[in-house]
Protein backbone atom coordinates (compact mmCIF):
# COMPACT_ATOMS: atom_id res chain seq x y z
CA UNK A 1 0.00 0.00 0.00
CA UNK A 2 2.81 2.41 0.86
CA UNK A 3 4.45 1.78 -2.52
CA UNK A 4 1.19 2.63 -4.28
CA UNK A 5 0.88 5.89 -2.36
CA UNK A 6 4.48 6.82 -3.17
CA UNK A 7 3.89 5.98 -6.84
CA UNK A 8 0.75 8.11 -6.94
CA UNK A 9 2.60 11.02 -5.31
CA UNK A 10 5.47 10.77 -7.80
CA UNK A 11 2.98 10.55 -10.67
CA UNK A 12 1.31 13.77 -9.49
CA UNK A 13 4.67 15.54 -9.35
CA UNK A 14 5.49 14.29 -12.84
CA UNK A 15 2.11 15.44 -14.19
CA UNK A 16 2.50 18.93 -12.74
CA UNK A 17 6.07 19.21 -14.02
CA UNK A 18 5.01 18.09 -17.51
CA UNK A 19 2.19 20.64 -17.59
CA UNK A 20 4.48 23.41 -16.35
CA UNK A 21 7.17 22.53 -18.92
CA UNK A 22 4.61 22.56 -21.73
CA UNK A 23 3.21 25.95 -20.78
CA UNK A 24 6.66 27.50 -20.18
CA UNK A 25 7.90 26.26 -23.54
CA UNK A 26 4.93 27.78 -25.33
CA UNK A 27 5.27 31.04 -23.40
CA UNK A 28 8.96 31.46 -24.18
CA UNK A 29 8.13 33.00 -27.54
CA UNK A 30 5.51 35.44 -26.24
CA UNK A 31 7.82 38.47 -26.31
CA UNK A 32 8.73 37.76 -29.93
CA UNK A 33 5.13 38.24 -31.05
CA UNK A 34 5.09 41.90 -29.94
CA UNK A 35 6.20 42.90 -33.43
CA UNK A 36 3.10 41.23 -34.87
CA UNK A 37 0.58 43.16 -32.79
CA UNK A 38 -1.50 45.90 -34.30
CA UNK A 39 -3.80 48.61 -33.00
CA UNK A 40 -6.98 46.87 -31.90
CA UNK A 41 -8.17 49.44 -29.42
CA UNK A 42 -7.28 49.63 -25.74
CA UNK A 43 -4.26 47.54 -24.89
CA UNK A 44 -4.84 44.43 -22.81
CA UNK A 45 -1.12 43.72 -22.33
CA UNK A 46 -0.30 42.99 -18.70
CA UNK A 47 -3.90 42.58 -17.56
CA UNK A 48 -5.10 39.73 -15.36
CA UNK A 49 -8.63 38.38 -15.26
CA UNK A 50 -10.13 35.91 -12.79
CA UNK A 51 -13.55 34.28 -12.71
CA UNK A 52 -15.44 31.05 -13.13
CA UNK A 53 -15.88 28.38 -15.78
CA UNK A 54 -18.74 25.86 -16.01
CA UNK A 55 -18.21 22.69 -18.01
CA UNK A 56 -15.12 20.49 -18.07
CA UNK A 57 -13.84 21.65 -15.62
CA UNK A 58 -16.20 23.57 -13.34
CA UNK A 59 -14.23 25.91 -11.12
CA UNK A 60 -11.90 28.90 -11.29
CA UNK A 61 -10.60 30.49 -14.49
CA UNK A 62 -7.71 32.94 -14.95
CA UNK A 63 -6.20 34.69 -17.96
CA UNK A 64 -3.17 36.93 -18.41
CA UNK A 65 -2.43 38.97 -21.55
CA UNK A 66 1.22 38.99 -22.71
CA UNK A 67 0.44 41.51 -25.46
CA UNK A 68 -2.59 42.53 -27.52
CA UNK A 69 -2.87 39.18 -29.34
CA UNK A 70 -1.37 36.55 -27.06
CA UNK A 71 -2.46 35.39 -23.61
CA UNK A 72 -2.17 32.46 -21.24
CA UNK A 73 -5.19 31.03 -19.47
CA UNK A 74 -5.84 28.33 -16.95
CA UNK A 75 -8.62 26.61 -15.08
CA UNK A 76 -8.75 24.52 -11.94
CA UNK A 77 -11.72 22.73 -10.52
CA UNK A 78 -13.94 19.70 -10.49
CA UNK A 79 -14.01 17.31 -13.39
CA UNK A 80 -17.06 15.47 -14.68
CA UNK A 81 -14.68 12.77 -15.93
CA UNK A 82 -14.78 9.34 -14.28
CA UNK A 83 -13.09 9.06 -10.87
CA UNK A 84 -11.40 12.49 -10.99
CA UNK A 85 -10.82 14.54 -7.86
CA UNK A 86 -9.25 17.62 -9.39
CA UNK A 87 -8.70 19.01 -12.91
CA UNK A 88 -6.09 21.55 -14.04
CA UNK A 89 -5.33 22.97 -17.49
CA UNK A 90 -3.34 25.83 -18.97
CA UNK A 91 -3.10 27.07 -22.56
CA UNK A 92 -1.30 29.69 -24.58
CA UNK A 93 -3.89 31.52 -26.72
CA UNK A 94 -3.65 33.56 -29.94
CA UNK A 95 -6.54 35.98 -30.63
CA UNK A 96 -8.02 37.37 -33.85
CA UNK A 97 -10.15 40.47 -33.31
CA UNK A 98 -11.10 40.88 -36.99
CA UNK A 99 -13.05 37.69 -37.76
CA UNK A 100 -16.35 38.72 -36.13
CA UNK A 101 -16.98 42.47 -36.08
CA UNK A 102 -19.44 43.70 -33.45
CA UNK A 103 -21.00 47.18 -33.10
CA UNK A 104 -20.03 47.49 -29.42
CA UNK A 105 -17.18 45.90 -27.55
CA UNK A 106 -14.81 43.32 -29.01
CA UNK A 107 -15.34 39.67 -29.90
CA UNK A 108 -12.05 37.91 -30.52
CA UNK A 109 -11.86 34.35 -31.77
CA UNK A 110 -8.98 32.43 -30.23
CA UNK A 111 -7.07 29.21 -30.66
CA UNK A 112 -4.48 27.76 -28.36
CA UNK A 113 -2.34 24.86 -27.25
CA UNK A 114 -1.67 23.56 -23.79
CA UNK A 115 -1.90 20.73 -21.34
CA UNK A 116 -4.23 19.20 -18.79
CA UNK A 117 -3.90 17.06 -15.71
CA UNK A 118 -6.62 15.08 -13.92
CA UNK A 119 -5.84 13.90 -10.42
CA UNK A 120 -7.77 10.68 -9.89
CA UNK A 121 -9.07 8.79 -6.91
CA UNK A 122 -9.69 5.07 -6.31
CA UNK A 123 -5.97 4.29 -6.71
CA UNK A 124 -6.13 5.03 -10.44
CA UNK A 125 -3.30 6.70 -12.32
CA UNK A 126 -3.55 10.43 -12.94
CA UNK A 127 -4.24 11.55 -16.50
CA UNK A 128 -2.02 13.90 -18.49
CA UNK A 129 -3.00 15.27 -21.88
CA UNK A 130 -2.65 17.98 -24.47
CA UNK A 131 -5.50 20.19 -25.65
CA UNK A 132 -6.21 22.65 -28.45
CA UNK A 133 -8.96 25.05 -27.35
CA UNK A 134 -10.95 27.19 -29.78
CA UNK A 135 -13.28 29.86 -28.46
CA UNK A 136 -14.93 33.27 -28.42
CA UNK A 137 -14.59 35.96 -25.79
CA UNK A 138 -16.97 38.94 -25.68
CA UNK A 139 -15.33 42.02 -24.14
CA UNK A 140 -17.91 44.81 -23.67
CA UNK A 141 -16.84 48.45 -23.83
CA UNK A 142 -16.57 50.16 -20.46
CA UNK A 143 -16.94 47.03 -18.32
CA UNK A 144 -13.98 45.16 -16.80
CA UNK A 145 -15.35 41.71 -17.71
CA UNK A 146 -15.29 39.17 -20.50
CA UNK A 147 -17.72 36.36 -21.21
CA UNK A 148 -16.27 33.37 -23.00
CA UNK A 149 -17.15 30.00 -24.50
CA UNK A 150 -14.64 27.42 -25.67
CA UNK A 151 -14.33 23.87 -26.82
CA UNK A 152 -11.06 22.06 -26.32
CA UNK A 153 -10.40 18.82 -28.15
CA UNK A 154 -7.88 16.91 -26.05
CA UNK A 155 -5.67 13.86 -26.28
CA UNK A 156 -4.83 12.12 -23.03
CA UNK A 157 -1.33 10.67 -23.35
CA UNK A 158 -0.86 9.06 -19.93
CA UNK A 159 -1.63 6.55 -18.55
CA UNK A 160 -3.59 5.60 -21.71
CA UNK A 161 -3.93 7.33 -25.06
CA UNK A 162 -7.52 8.44 -25.65
CA UNK A 163 -9.35 11.40 -27.15
CA UNK A 164 -11.92 13.57 -25.42
CA UNK A 165 -13.53 17.01 -25.49
CA UNK A 166 -13.13 19.64 -22.78
CA UNK A 167 -14.45 23.18 -22.58
CA UNK A 168 -17.08 25.36 -21.06
CA UNK A 169 -18.55 28.82 -20.65
CA UNK A 170 -17.46 31.41 -18.15
CA UNK A 171 -16.98 34.98 -17.05
CA UNK A 172 -13.92 36.83 -15.74
CA UNK A 173 -13.40 40.14 -13.98
CA UNK A 174 -10.37 42.17 -15.19
CA UNK A 175 -8.02 43.85 -12.73
Amino acid sequence: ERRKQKRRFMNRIFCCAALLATVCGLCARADETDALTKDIGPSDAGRLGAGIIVGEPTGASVKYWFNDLMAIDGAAGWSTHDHSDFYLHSDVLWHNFDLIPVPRGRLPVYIGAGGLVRFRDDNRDNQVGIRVPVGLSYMPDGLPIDVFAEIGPALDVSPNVQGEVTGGIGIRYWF
Side-chain angles (χ1 to χ4, degrees), residues 30 60 73 78 85:
D73 80 345
W78 296 270
D85 285 335

Side-chain angles (χ1 to χ4, degrees), residues 56-137:
E56 177 66 12
T58 296
S61 173
V62 295
K63 186 172 186 177
Y64 176 80
W65 287 89
F66 292 119
N67 56 45
D68 288 339
L69 298 179
M70 190 174 187
I72 186 169
D73 80 345
W78 296 270
S79 173
T80 58
H81 207 265
D82 232 10
H83 303 286
S84 293
D85 285 335
F86 186 69
Y87 174 105
L88 179 69
H89 79 239
S90 185
D91 310 297
V92 175
L93 305 173
W94 293 269
H95 297 74
N96 184 326
F97 286 82
D98 298 327
L99 284 180
I100 305 174
V102 291
R104 291 195 174 126
R106 299 179 291 159
L107 185 64
V109 175
Y110 61 85
I111 187 167
L116 67 87
V117 178
R118 273 196 197 86
F119 297 100
R120 306 198 55 198
D121 56 11
D122 295 340
N123 291 324
R124 295 180 186 216
D125 290 333
N126 297 327
Q127 290 180 304
V128 178
I130 54 175
R131 52 182 250 129
V132 181
V134 176
L136 296 168
S137 178

